[in-house]
């Protein structure tokens, strides 16, 4: 819920050698609590560390700081576990400060493997098996496909830093889906054709964003 902030009072203090301005604000949340903003600018330490007010690095910075690309993470996962990559995502590890590549691999015996890859050096950090119930649907969607997840990631890389690639096996027009980020944190979703590798903007995603505005 968006909160409406009403500035109740602003006191400017002029001190020898400089001063600071503080503001007392009330929030329009259910508790009607009053909060005081001690400063109007982040400290120099926060700026250097690239951290927000809660001490956590911004999601965009964490993903853009990865040295290993999506296609490289997929290649590394396949060296560890052979099969067909169905998705790869750069995400927080247990909601912590570190991000990892999580690559889902469907092996030849229809076993699903989740492989974690270090985004700094491409080394496999570990893996485990998953229980999935859409194996047949995934196999059917990929039947006749000539574009792999790795190739889809490479194709989408021309649009920005790829943070995820995933198989869209729903509906009539099946495809790879990729999410990219650009400097500044702007996100965009793309569709990659399963046979031609052509990259197009995800119009459905853009429409959803318009509906929420």
């Amino acid at each position: 819920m968006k909160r409406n902030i009403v500035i109740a009072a602003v006191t400017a203090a002029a001190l020898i050698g400089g001063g600071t301005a503080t503001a007392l604000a009330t929030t329009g949340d259910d508790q009607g609590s009053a909060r005081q903003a001690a400063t109007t600018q982040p400290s120099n330490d926060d700026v250097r560390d690239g951290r927000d007010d809660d001490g956590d690095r911004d999601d965009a910075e964490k993903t853009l700081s990865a040295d290993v690309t999506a296609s490289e993470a997929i290649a590394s996962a396949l060296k560890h576990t052979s099969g067909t990559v169905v998705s790869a995502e750069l995400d927080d590890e247990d909601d912590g400060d570190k991000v990892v590549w999580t690559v889902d691999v469907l092996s030849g015996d229809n076993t699903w493997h989740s492989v974690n890859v270090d985004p700094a050096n491409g080394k496999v950090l570990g893996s485990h098996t998953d229980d999935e119930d859409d194996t047949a649907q995934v196999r059917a969607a990929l039947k006749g496909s000539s574009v792999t997840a790795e190739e889809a990631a490479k194709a989408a890389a021309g649009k920005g830093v790829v943070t995820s690639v995933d198989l869209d096996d729903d509906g009539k027009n099946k495809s790879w889906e990729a999410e990219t980020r650009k400097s500044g944190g702007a996100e965009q979703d793309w569709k990659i054709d399963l046979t031609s590798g052509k990259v197009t903007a995800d119009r459905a995603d853009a429409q959803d964003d318009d509906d929420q505005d």
Side-chain angles (χ1 to χ4, degrees), residues 17-88:
T20 60
T22 61
L24 185 64
T26 60
T27 62
D29 54 14
D30 295 338
Q31 290 77 22
S33 61
R35 297 183 181 180
Q36 183 175 10
T39 62
T40 58
Q41 294 182 350
S43 69
N44 289 336
D45 288 341
D46 288 340
V47 173
R48 283 196 300 269
D49 293 343
R51 296 177 180 273
D52 58 20
D53 293 339
D54 296 326
D56 297 326
R57 285 189 299 164
D58 182 78
D59 287 343
E61 181 189 345
K62 287 190 286 185
T63 55
L64 290 173
S65 65
D67 294 324
V68 176
T69 65
S71 59
E72 291 170 342
I74 291 172
S76 181
L78 287 175
K79 288 181 180 179
H80 180 272
T81 304
S82 61
T84 301
V85 170
V86 179
S87 70

Side-chain angles (χ1 to χ4, degrees), residues 2-8 23-29 35 37:
K2 294 183 179 179
R3 298 178 178 180
N4 297 319
I5 300 178
V6 180
I7 302 301
L24 185 64
T26 60
T27 62
D29 54 14
R35 297 183 181 180

Side-chain angles (χ1 to χ4, degrees), residues 94-107:
D94 297 327
D95 295 326
D97 194 47
K98 183 180 179 180
V99 295
V100 297
W101 281 108
T102 300
V103 183
D104 291 331
V105 183
L106 177 58
S107 63

Side-chain angles (χ1 to χ4, degrees), residues 128-145:
H128 63 270
T129 58
D130 285 330
D131 293 327
E132 301 288 348
D133 57 4
D134 60 345
T135 301
Q137 185 174 344
V138 168
R139 293 289 191 197
L142 290 174
K143 186 177 182 180
S145 170

Side-chain angles (χ1 to χ4, degrees), residues 91-167:
D91 203 357
D92 292 351
E93 183 180 29
D94 297 327
D95 295 326
D97 194 47
K98 183 180 179 180
V99 295
V100 297
W101 281 108
T102 300
V103 183
D104 291 331
V105 183
L106 177 58
S107 63
D109 61 356
N110 290 334
T111 300
W112 287 88
H113 302 265
S114 182
V115 184
N116 289 336
V117 178
D118 194 319
N121 53 33
K123 292 183 178 180
V124 172
L125 301 173
S127 66
H128 63 270
T129 58
D130 285 330
D131 293 327
E132 301 288 348
D133 57 4
D134 60 345
T135 301
Q137 185 174 344
V138 168
R139 293 289 191 197
L142 290 174
K143 186 177 182 180
S145 170
S146 56
V147 177
T148 65
E150 183 177 356
E151 292 168 339
K154 289 180 179 179
K159 305 297 184 179
V161 177
V162 178
T163 56
S164 71
V165 59
D166 187 26
L167 176 66

